[in-house]
Amino acid sequence: MDRYEFESDNTAAICPEAWAALAEANAAGAASYGEDKWTRRVSERVREIFETDCETFVVFNGTAANALALAHLCRPFHSVICHEHSHIETDECGAPEFFSGGAKLLPTRGANGKLDLAQVEEIFLRQHSVHSPKPRGISLTQATELGTVYRREEIERIAEFARTQSLFVHMDGARFANAVAALDCAPKAITWEAGVDSLCFGGTKNGTAAGELVIFFQKELAREFEYRAKQAGQLASKMRFLAAPWAGLLENDVWLENARRANDRAKSLAEKLSVVLGTEPALPCEASAVFWRMPEDLVAQLHGRGWHFYKFIEPDVYRLMCSWSVSNKDIDDFVSDVKAVAR
């Protein structure tokens, strides 16, 4: 029997609205290299959603989005302060350093996957002379890799420090939709209004097959980014096939509804596991991820029953990721098996 894949939200199918838009784009020929109506509509819709005149670029995946955005904000002798669990630090194979020509990531600690401003200041002050890479940016992840969400005031404090030190603020928004849904806020409230300069807006984990958005909230920062994207192999000749699913996702706030569904299922899963196992989540369940301490024998038996998820933090914290497509039945089936093997 097929089981829902809790190991990642990347395993989910394309949502119906994105699929329909892709089919529409495939019905006839269209202009290439982003000169099509779907790519233009995505840019227009992003401006509407964020309520500002921003610049938007479509690239193939999240690694390219983060790496190229940071490379565009930095020079080779610069550095970027980030969380030790951030995707750019742990899962992008040095892409930000590679595409920037050498800009260094400076990982720091913070509770529950969030940057701690005191730690940020401390690591900033260590880079005090020409012998150290000069800090040029701060990167934060929204929602974080540990399933938590930055509140507006937290972003504002980080951005205020960044402004006083002439640093840019970059946001890895692979699960930005889940953060907006969790906070029930306007997207502008936790981006440009709070001091964010560039957002990598993720769609793959929200219902598309491929294609992420790089958004610059100040037009001057976006200048010549199209050349950087082209040089990096990120300018799709048939761009409409990346943009059209995004258009379907953004129309009628499908992106937000998908995120709400994923978040709601994660909360339901956490509540039911708490009852069955008699324990609490290892980390706050604020978006679409659930983290739980589990003994290896329990995990082995669940794997044996066809459930796929993996250890995220040693020695015993496992991640269960919910996507737009997880159903209440999926949750109930999993919890039922947990109950059966945990006796």
Side-chain angles (χ1 to χ4, degrees):
M1 182 175 70
D2 290 336
R3 298 290 200 180
Y4 176 80
E5 301 279 354
F6 282 106
E7 65 181 352
S8 173
D9 37 12
N10 290 327
T11 63
I14 304 173
C15 73
E17 295 84 357
W19 185 258
L22 183 60
E24 181 189 350
N26 193 48
S32 57
Y33 296 108
E35 298 299 322
D36 59 274
K37 66 179 182 180
W38 292 277
T39 304
R40 287 195 299 273
R41 181 56 186 146
V42 169
S43 292
E44 292 166 358
R45 185 71 184 115
V46 168
R47 293 186 182 106
E48 292 168 2
I49 288 171
F50 287 91
E51 303 176 61
T52 192
D53 189 17
C54 52
E55 291 288 344
T56 301
F57 302 87
V58 184
V59 297
F60 285 103
N61 58 31
T63 294
N66 284 329
L68 296 180
L70 289 170
H72 206 62
L73 298 175
C74 294
R75 296 180 69 178
F77 53 82
H78 284 148
S79 58
V80 176
I81 300 169
C82 62
H83 195 278
E84 62 179 349
H85 288 302
S86 65
H87 205 266
I88 60 173
E89 168 64 13
T90 64
D91 287 275
E92 294 185 355
C93 197
E97 295 96 329
F98 177 81
F99 282 104
S100 65
K104 184 176 177 60
L105 298 181
L106 302 176
T108 187
R109 295 182 176 181
N112 299 331
K114 295 183 185 181
L115 290 172
D116 181 301
L117 188 52
Q119 297 267 349
V120 170
E121 292 184 80
E122 180 181 339
I123 201 167
F124 175 83
L125 292 172
R126 287 186 214 156
Q127 319 304 310
H128 54 76
S129 73
V130 72
H131 299 287
S132 302
K134 184 178 181 180
R136 186 57 170 162
I138 299 175
S139 179
L140 49 87
T141 308
Q142 179 76 313
T144 75
E145 293 295 326
L146 299 188
T148 53
V149 173
Y150 285 94
R151 273 61 182 172
R152 174 173 179 154
E153 57 271 19
E154 294 175 302
I155 300 170
E156 287 177 333
R157 285 196 293 270
I158 292 169
E160 177 59 27
F161 171 77
R163 278 193 298 273
T164 63
Q165 304 298 338
S166 299
L167 306 177
F168 292 116
V169 178
H170 162 264
M171 179 175 283
D172 176 353
R175 298 183 180 93
F176 178 75
N178 300 93
V180 174
L183 295 172
D184 192 23
C185 67
K188 66 179 180 179
I190 54 171
T191 52
W192 63 269
E193 277 194 341
V196 173
D197 297 296
S198 179
L199 167 69
C200 296
F201 190 177
T204 306
K205 302 179 191 306
N206 188 240
T208 66
E212 309 288 80
L213 306 182
V214 179
I215 303 170
F216 293 98
F217 294 109
Q218 301 174 53
K219 286 201 167 189
E220 61 271 23
L221 294 181
R223 189 158 60 91
E224 298 186 338
F225 184 83
E226 63 271 24
Y227 288 91
R228 185 177 297 279
K230 172 63 178 179
Q231 187 181 62
Q234 294 297 313
L235 178 61
S237 56
K238 295 185 178 181
M239 184 68 80
R240 70 187 186 279
F241 293 126
L242 293 180
W246 262 106
L249 198 66
L250 295 179
E251 290 298 331
N252 302 313
D253 286 339
V254 172
W255 66 282
L256 199 50
E257 183 55 37
N258 283 355
R260 288 193 184 111
R261 186 181 305 115
N263 291 0
D264 289 346
R265 298 292 187 270
K267 287 179 176 57
S268 174
L269 175 60
E271 290 167 0
K272 292 179 179 181
L273 282 178
S274 182
V275 171
V276 169
L277 294 175
T279 56
E280 294 298 316
L283 293 162
C285 180
E286 296 181 348
S288 56
V290 177
F291 293 84
W292 220 278
R293 296 188 186 279
M294 297 186 194
E296 289 187 11
D297 61 332
L298 172 61
V299 173
Q301 291 183 73
L302 291 171
H303 285 174
R305 290 183 175 226
W307 296 105
H308 297 142
F309 58 96
Y310 67 95
K311 187 185 295 182
F312 204 84
I313 305 173
E314 292 289 349
D316 60 356
V317 177
Y318 291 81
R319 187 186 77 170
L320 300 159
M321 181 62 69
C322 293
S323 74
W324 72 270
S325 64
V326 64
S327 68
N328 286 320
K329 185 179 184 304
D330 295 324
I331 301 295
D332 289 341
D333 287 348
F334 178 76
V335 173
S336 179
D337 275 359
V338 171
K339 185 176 182 179
V341 302
R343 290 174 179 171

